[in-house]
Amino acid sequence: SFELTQPPSLSVSPGQTTNITCSADSLGNKFVYWYQQRPGQSPLLVIYKDDKRPSGIPERFSGSNSGNTATLTITGTQATDEADFYCQAWDSSTLYVFGGGTRVTVL
Amino acid sequence: EVKLVQSGGGLVHPGGSLRLSCVGSGFPFSERHMDWIRQAPGKRLEWIGRVQTETSDLSTHYAASVSGRISISRDDTDSSMYLQLDSLKIDDTAMYYCARADQDGFDLWGPGTMVTVSP
């Protein structure tokens, strides 16, 4: 079955760039969505269709998807960006699939 | 304000049933497919089902993990969506979110409602 793999955790210093990866076979052939989930809150869509940013999402969030890997990049990471981030894609057999999530800690 | 409001949930015994509600406002509810997604404590998000719009014949799609126990419906006159899950197991313990579909993703989420399945 189709599975999305993310690193469990990342630590970053304020102002630095955070790159969160999401991997699966031929992921570049699918659209990838990214969600931010702060503690105790529901998920928030931050990137859709690989690299599109919804209204209201800061420009420091960007996305890319090629080959087997999609990447969510946070440029100039802020303390408020500390959260769990999930990638998600659609697959014909498994339908809507989420990655395991990456906890981003801003030190 | 565009939002989803959820109700229902709580403590349920194994073998019991749950019925959750989700009400949308601030957008044309009838024009959007709607989904249920859950998250067990400390686990990843898990999509469990969708009800499509009336123009798509109100078709439903369910995850294999809950197939046979789940029913999702909607009432566009009330901008509401419902989740019925039967024969509950301990593993069904989770935060249940309703979400608005946007092509292959989900662009609006409800606040979630906790369901605990325990003897």
Side-chain angles (χ1 to χ4, degrees), chain B residues 18-119:
Chain B
L18 67 81
R19 181 175 170 81
L20 305 180
S21 301
C22 173
V23 178
S25 60
F27 66 96
F29 185 85
S30 64
E31 296 178 10
R32 304 297 290 269
H33 302 328
M34 296 296 297
D35 295 67
W36 288 97
I37 296 162
R38 68 183 181 181
Q39 186 173 34
K43 301 296 185 181
R44 72 177 65 191
L45 296 160
E46 178 190 18
W47 175 84
I48 58 172
R50 164 174 292 185
V51 60
Q52 295 192 321
T53 62
E54 187 168 2
T55 56
S56 296
D57 297 328
L58 301 176
S59 297
T60 52
H61 305 275
Y62 302 128
S65 61
V66 293
S67 182
R69 301 191 293 128
I70 187 173
S71 176
I72 298 175
S73 60
R74 64 190 295 161
D75 182 350
D76 289 339
T77 63
D78 289 338
S79 298
S80 298
M81 174 179 64
Y82 305 97
L83 167 67
Q84 175 91 17
L85 190 60
D86 300 321
S87 303
L88 287 169
K89 312 170 186 178
I90 302 291
D91 288 350
D92 293 317
T93 294
M95 183 72 79
Y96 285 73
Y97 297 100
C98 63
R100 185 178 73 179
D102 176 44
Q103 301 198 41
D104 290 343
F106 311 97
D107 67 349
L108 179 68
W109 295 64
T113 186
M114 188 67 199
V115 173
T116 302
V117 183
S118 179

Side-chain angles (χ1 to χ4, degrees), chain A residues 19-54:
Chain A
N19 289 301
I20 305 168
T21 59
C22 175
S23 301
D25 287 343
S26 301
L27 185 58
N29 294 333
K30 305 178 186 300
F31 281 131
V32 174
Y33 294 70
W34 290 93
Y35 305 89
Q36 177 188 46
Q37 186 177 33
R38 294 190 174 103
Q41 296 186 16
S42 54
L44 171 71
L45 179 68
V46 294
I47 292 290
Y48 67 100
K49 288 187 173 182
D50 296 341
D51 57 7
K52 308 293 187 293
R53 201 172 48 251

Side-chain angles (χ1 to χ4, degrees), chain A residues 1 10 13 18 20 32 38 48 54 73 77 88 90 105:
Chain A
S1 63
L10 288 173
S13 300
T18 303
I20 305 168
V32 174
R38 294 190 174 103
Y48 67 100
T73 298
T77 306
Q88 175 256 312
W90 181 88
T105 302

